[in-house]
Amino acid sequence: MAAEHLEDEQVHSVIAEETSQENEHHDEDNRLKPEFLRAVREALDEEDFERVYDLVEPLHPADIADLFELFDEDQRLDLARAIRDLMGVEVIAELNDWVREALIEGLPADVVADIAEQLDTDDAVAMIEDLDREDQQAVLAELDPEDRAAIEAALAYPDESAGRLMSRDFVAVPESMSVGDLIDFLREQRHLPTDFWEVFIVDAMHKPVGTCALSWILRTPRSIPLSDVMKREQTLIPVMMDQEEVALRFQKYALISAAVVDEAGRLVGQITVDDIVHIIQEEAGEDALLLSGAGDGDINEPILLTVRTRLMWLVINLGTAMIAASVVGLFQGAIARLALLAVLMPIVSGMGGNAGTQTLAVAVRALATNQLTSSNTRRMILREFRIALTNGLALGTLIGTGTAIIFGMPMLGLVIAMAMLINNLVAGLVGILVPVTLDRFDIDPAVSSAVFVTTATDTMGFFSFLGLAVLMGLA
Amino acid sequence: MAAEHLEDEQVHSVIAEETSQENEHHDEDNRLKPEFLRAVREALDEEDFERVYDLVEPLHPADIADLFELFDEDQRLDLARAIRDLMGVEVIAELNDWVREALIEGLPADVVADIAEQLDTDDAVAMIEDLDREDQQAVLAELDPEDRAAIEAALAYPDESAGRLMSRDFVAVPESMSVGDLIDFLREQRHLPTDFWEVFIVDAMHKPVGTCALSWILRTPRSIPLSDVMKREQTLIPVMMDQEEVALRFQKYALISAAVVDEAGRLVGQITVDDIVHIIQEEAGEDALLLSGAGDGDINEPILLTVRTRLMWLVINLGTAMIAASVVGLFQGAIARLALLAVLMPIVSGMGGNAGTQTLAVAVRALATNQLTSSNTRRMILREFRIALTNGLALGTLIGTGTAIIFGMPMLGLVIAMAMLINNLVAGLVGILVPVTLDRFDIDPAVSSAVFVTTATDTMGFFSFLGLAVLMGLA
C-alpha cells in the first residue's frame, strides 16, 4: 500500500481544463454543450465548412461520434463531408450501429474498405456485419486478401459469439523464451496489435499454456524464463461462447483480456475488456427495456422498426387485457347493482401489478447475473413469499380500513383487504416462478415474463375482489 | 491485422477442462453445479471439515465467493470456519456487500485488520466502509499507521466518489526518465501495485503530464525518453467525481486505467477498469429495479430492508391508484346503467400504462447513457409522439372494431378507439416529458418517473373512455 513516485525538477503543468468537470465543449456531465452544437449547426447551415472543421477538430473521436448522434439525420452527411479528414477509424468505431450503418451506406465501397483495413478485425467486423449482403461483398472485394480472410472468418461465427467479438491481433510466444527474448521480440515486431495487456504463452500446437501480464514482464530481470513468470491458470473463452457469457466471465474473474480458443483448444484470438464494457452496459441495461417490451430501445433505430417492435408487444398485451376484462365481464350483474365495485377493482389489480413487477425485476436481474441458480431458488421463493405476505397484510389493512371508513361499509373493507392480500401473494409467487421457469427452459425471462405476470395479477385481482364481493352478498 | 506467433517445440497441453464450457464444478453457464453444492453441504452437516476443504480448495476465489452467496445464511459461518485458510483477500473482495458485512461482523477486529492490510486501498475501503462506526474504529486501530492513514483519507471522500474508488497504489515517474530508466526502476521497486496497466508521468508538483501504456514501453528501445513515448492527452478523473460519471468516462474513452487528481490537479490515485466493470453493471442494471420500485434489488439484503423499500413504493402507488379510482367514481351512475363500461375501461388504462412504460424505459436509458441531452430532446419528443400516434391508431382501430362487432355497438367501438388513441398520446408524451423534466432538475428519472406516468395513463384512460361514453350518450 505505497504509492510509487519519483519527484524531479519542474517539467510541465498542462492539465488545465481537463481537471475541471466543465470545459469549453462539455457540460458538467461530460455532454457536449448545446451552445457548441448550435455553433456547429450554424456554420453548417452557412456552408462555412472551414469553421465547422475548426470547431470539431479539438474533439476526442468519441465526442465526434456523439456529435453525429446528436445531430438530425439529414445533417449527418453534411457534417461528415465537412470534417472528412477527421472521420478516422476511432470515430467510426465509436458510432452507434444505426448511425454508422446510415453513414457507411452513403460511402462508396472502396472508402469503406480503406477504413476497414485500418481497423482491428473486431471493429472492422462490427462495421460491416450489418450491411446488406451485396454491400458487404463489395467491401470485402476491395480488401487485401489477408484482411478479407480474417473478416470472412469472423463473419462465419454466429452473431454475438466470442468469434465475432475477438480480435485476431494478439501476442503469442513459446514457453522457452526468457523475459529478455520477449522484450527483444516485441521491439523488433512491426505488426503488433494496437493494444495488448498480456502476452499469451502457447505450446507447439498453439494451445495456451499460460499468460503473462505486461507489468510482470516489466518488473522481471531479462534472464528469467517466461515459464517462471507466467500464470498457468487462465480463463479461456471458447470461440462459440455467447457474448453475454463472455461479459460475465470478464466481470467475475476481473479480466483485462482473455485468450479465445477454437474447438481443438488452439489460440485463435483475444478479447479485451474495452470491447466487453460496452456489452456489459448493454446487457445489464436491456432488462428494463425488454421487460417493458421496448426492444433494444435504441433511440437511433429507424422509427418504423421501433413502432413494429413496440406494437407487437402492445398487441400481445391487448390480448391479455381482454382476458382480464372477460373476468370482469362475469360480474356485470354485480357491478350494475353496486357500481362502487368498478371504482375499487382497478386498485386491487393495479397494486398486484406493481408488486409483481418489483419481484420480477429482482428475479430477472438475479438470473442475469448468475446470482439466482437452482441451488438457491427455493430460498428465493420463500423470501419473496414472506415479502409478499408482509406487504399484502400491510396494504390490505390500509386499504381495507380506509374503504370501511370512507364508504361506511365494513364488509366491503374486509373484501378489498382480503383481495389485496391474495393478489399480493399471487404477484410475489408468479413474479419469481415465471422467470425462473422460463430460464429453466432457456427462454430469456426479461423478454417474456411481464405478460404472464400482469395477466395473472390483473385476472386474479379482478376475480378475487369481485368474487369475494359476490360471495359475501355485497352485490 | 496480423497475429504474432512464434512456433516452438512441443511444450505442454494443459487446458483440458477449461476449454469446455461445462466442467466438474460448473454447469454450461459457469454457475456452480447443484450436485457440487449438495456435496459441500453434506460434508458440512457431517462436520467433515477436511472433506469440505478438499472440495472447495480447487475453486477460483470468485467461485468461493459465489459459494457463500448460494449458501443459506446460517451455513455461511460454518463454511468460513471449515475453509479458514482459503478465505483470502480475493474471496473477501468478491463477496456481495451484505454477505461480506455479515461475515466481517462475525470476525474479531484484528483478523479484519490483517485482511485489510493485504488488500489494495480501494478493496480495504470497500470492506470496512459499511461497518458500524465503532467496528470501523476497532479495525482502523489495528492497522499500521501508513495503511490507516490511506484508508482514513479514502473514507473522508463522499460515498460513491472517485476518491473512495481509487487505489493509492500506482506508478508515477518524472518525464526526464528514459524507457530503460523506467524498466530498471520497476525491476528494483518492491512495493509496486498488484496490477497496473499504464505508468503516469508527472511533473515536480506531482501533476500528470502524460501517460504510457505498458505495451508502448515494452516495444520501445531503452534509450528513448519517456516524453517521446507518452501520450499527453489523457482523461483525468477529479477525486470528487461520482462513480457513475467515472464509469461513463471509462466506457466512452475505452480506458483501462485512469489517473485521479485532487482539486489542485495533483495525482493522488488511479482507478482501473476491473473496479469500473462492477459499477457499469450495477448502474446499467439498476434502471429496471428502480423503475419498479425494488430499490437496489439485492437478493442478499436483509429481508426487512427489502420489505421497507418495496412497501414505501407500493404505498405511494396506492395513493395514485386512489386518484385514478376517484376518476372512475365520478362515473358511477353511467357504470350502473351500462356495466359493460367497467369491463372495457381497464383495457384502455392498462394499454396506456404499457405504452407509457415503453417510452419511459427508453428515455431513462437514453438519459443514463448521455444519449438524450438538451440538444436532441425536441427530436426525441417528436419521435415518441409519432410512435404513440401510429400505435394509438393501430390499437384503437383493433379494439374499436372488435368492440363494435362483439357487442354490436358501433358507437361504443368508436368511443373506445378514440380513448385508446388519446391515452396512447398521453402515454408517449408523459413517458418522455416526465423523465426529461426530472433529469433537468437533477432528480434521478429512474427513481421517480413511473409514479407520474402510471397516474397519468390510469386517470386519463378512465377519464377519456368514461367521459366520451357519457358525452356520446351511451350511458
Side-chain angles (χ1 to χ4, degrees), chain B residues 40-47 49 52 71 75 78-79 82:
Chain B
V40 178
R41 263 193 199 123
E42 276 173 19
L44 261 186
D45 288 344
E46 293 163 13
E47 304 201 359
F49 293 150
V52 174
F71 266 37
Q75 297 174 308
D78 288 342
L79 178 61

Side-chain angles (χ1 to χ4, degrees), chain A residues 273-326:
Chain A
V273 70
D274 52 315
D275 294 317
I276 291 299
V277 158
H278 287 269
I279 292 163
I280 292 175
Q281 216 260 11
E282 273 170 32
E283 300 276 352
E286 72 181 12
D287 282 358
L289 296 162
L290 292 176
L291 280 170
S292 76
D296 61 8
D298 189 330
I299 61 171
N300 292 298
E301 191 179 52
I303 195 165
L304 279 178
L305 215 59
T306 307
V307 166
R308 202 176 61 184
T309 310
R310 295 205 205 165
L311 189 56
M312 201 182 74
W313 176 258
L314 292 173
V315 169
I316 294 171
N317 274 276
L318 183 59
T320 72
M322 285 165 67
I323 295 172
S326 69

Side-chain angles (χ1 to χ4, degrees), chain B residues 366-394:
Chain B
L367 284 167
T369 51
N370 274 352
Q371 288 190 283
L372 176 52
T373 76
S374 57
S375 307
N376 61 352
T377 299
R378 198 184 305 175
R379 173 153 51 96
M380 282 308 119
I381 294 173
L382 188 67
R383 183 182 148 88
E384 288 301 329
F385 180 79
R386 288 166 61 196
I387 295 170
L389 186 66
T390 316
N391 286 347
L393 286 171

Side-chain angles (χ1 to χ4, degrees), chain A residues 372-428:
Chain A
L372 176 53
T373 76
S374 57
S375 307
N376 61 351
T377 299
R378 200 183 305 176
R379 174 154 50 96
M380 280 309 120
I381 294 173
L382 189 67
R383 182 182 149 89
E384 287 302 329
F385 181 80
R386 289 166 61 198
I387 295 170
L389 186 66
T390 317
N391 286 347
L393 286 171
L395 293 170
T397 310
L398 203 60
I399 188 77
T401 315
T403 303
I405 292 170
I406 294 171
F407 301 104
M409 297 171 76
M411 185 54 87
L412 186 63
L414 184 64
V415 164
I416 197 169
M418 285 170 63
M420 193 74 111
L421 173 60
I422 292 170
N423 209 21
N424 255 278
L425 292 175
V426 169

Side-chain angles (χ1 to χ4, degrees), chain A residues 15 37 77 79 81 108 187 191 204 224 252 261 294 309 350 354 398 402 428 456 471:
Chain A
I15 38 155
L37 263 88
L77 270 172
L79 178 61
R81 249 171 253 133
R187 287 194 182 135
H191 295 291
I224 307 286
K252 179 169 176 181
V261 290
T309 310
N354 290 331
L398 203 60
L471 208 66

Side-chain angles (χ1 to χ4, degrees), chain B residues 130-185:
Chain B
D130 296 323
L131 293 181
D132 299 339
R133 205 170 155 68
E134 202 177 315
D135 292 342
Q136 220 178 60
Q137 290 303 328
V139 174
L140 285 171
E142 296 284 340
L143 288 173
D144 73 44
E146 198 188 338
D147 289 341
R148 182 166 64 227
I151 293 180
E152 281 178 338
L155 287 172
Y157 291 112
D159 214 20
E160 310 212 326
S161 66
R164 278 283 179 97
L165 204 61
M166 74 186 182
S167 164
R168 277 138 202 282
D169 310 324
F170 54 85
V171 181
V173 295
E175 205 176 353
S176 56
M177 270 193 171
S178 69
V179 166
D181 295 340
L182 173 61
I183 294 181
D184 293 341
F185 167 72

Side-chain angles (χ1 to χ4, degrees), chain B residues 390-405:
Chain B
T390 316
N391 286 347
L393 286 171
L395 293 169
T397 308
L398 203 60
I399 187 78
T401 313
T403 303
I405 293 171

